[in-house]
Amino acid sequence: MSFTQQLSGHGHRAGGGEIESRREQNMRLKRERIFRVVSDLLRARGFSAATTQEVSAAAGVGAGTLFRYAATGSELMLMVYNEALRSSMAEGAARAAEKSAAYQRELLFGPHDAKFRAEGMELIFALEASLSDTLRRAAPHLSDDETQAAASSLFAVAHLAIARMTASEIPPAAAIDDRRRQVTQIVTGVLHHTPATERRPRHSQPD
């Protein structure tokens, strides 16, 4: 996808196909025109900021309308490149997820006697040990087994999030938010967990 296509596609309707009102459609079309004009000017001039007068005339919008989006040429440049960066980050995250999924698949299901699979598993164990140490410092009342179990759960959550991004149409941002919530639940549970050895036994009620 070209740079201009990425920018002009930013204003597509939200809500997964919901019907736009006429006002929403007009706003979207104006924004797309502004993006295309600013993109073309930036491509032609490099990092030189386009003036609001040029953009307003080329996009066919009034100065007041353009001011709602950006008050200066520098802000127009930032608005455009923010969207380009956001699009690149999303694409990069998706590609990284695909590579991570393939890597994790080989770690889990590859030949057990493979040299580099064993090396990869050692790295995973080291990562889990580091997570366990961090949890132990935050909750020193817990046992090694309890913090190790929590660390393994944290890695499993990360692994599942990567697998879901490659096996479904879940956007990377949504998968990351979902993983953040799961990690928060696990860590919160660890910090507020009472070890079995400290739990008071229930007293039997008299007959």
Side-chain angles (χ1 to χ4, degrees):
M1 180 180 293
S2 69
F3 179 68
T4 303
Q5 288 173 324
Q6 290 177 359
L7 298 177
S8 64
H10 173 72
H12 287 178
R13 65 182 61 182
E18 295 178 0
I19 298 176
E20 294 175 304
S21 68
R22 184 175 296 275
R23 181 174 179 274
E24 290 172 335
Q25 184 182 43
N26 288 337
M27 291 177 61
R28 175 174 60 82
L29 293 175
K30 287 177 181 178
R31 183 180 179 90
E32 289 179 357
R33 290 203 304 271
I34 292 170
F35 264 75
R36 284 195 295 269
V37 168
V38 178
S39 172
D40 290 342
L41 289 172
L42 289 173
R43 284 159 61 95
R45 300 179 182 178
F47 290 98
S48 297
T51 66
T52 54
Q53 292 85 352
E54 287 178 302
V55 174
S56 177
V61 298
T65 299
L66 182 62
F67 187 79
R68 297 175 187 172
Y69 296 99
T72 65
S74 295
E75 286 189 321
L76 285 170
M77 180 190 70
L78 289 171
M79 179 179 68
V80 168
Y81 278 109
N82 281 347
E83 296 305 329
L85 178 59
R86 182 177 291 112
S87 176
S88 297
M89 290 173 63
E91 183 179 356
R95 290 182 178 178
E98 292 176 4
K99 295 177 181 178
S100 296
Y103 174 67
Q104 292 189 5
R105 183 168 58 250
E106 291 302 319
L107 282 181
L108 293 175
F109 305 112
H112 285 221
D113 57 349
K115 172 184 176 182
F116 291 106
R117 177 184 180 276
E119 181 179 307
M121 292 303 300
E122 288 297 324
L123 292 173
I124 297 302
F125 294 148
L127 173 61
E128 290 187 356
S130 177
L131 291 172
S132 179
D133 289 341
T134 300
L135 293 172
R136 189 180 299 106
R137 287 194 296 270
H141 60 285
L142 298 180
S143 68
D144 290 347
D145 288 343
E146 288 169 324
T147 55
Q148 180 59 48
S152 297
S153 298
L154 289 173
F155 177 78
V157 164
H159 172 74
L160 180 59
I162 292 172
R164 289 181 65 191
M165 280 191 285
T166 58
S168 64
E169 297 181 355
I170 298 176
I176 292 172
D177 287 341
D178 186 42
R179 180 174 61 180
R180 184 180 291 112
R181 286 190 292 270
Q182 293 182 61
V183 168
T184 299
Q185 289 179 345
I186 293 173
V187 173
T188 301
V190 169
L191 296 180
H192 293 84
H193 173 67
T194 301
T197 55
E198 296 181 9
R199 296 173 190 158
R200 295 181 179 179
R202 294 182 179 179
H203 296 289
S204 58
Q205 297 295 328
D207 297 333

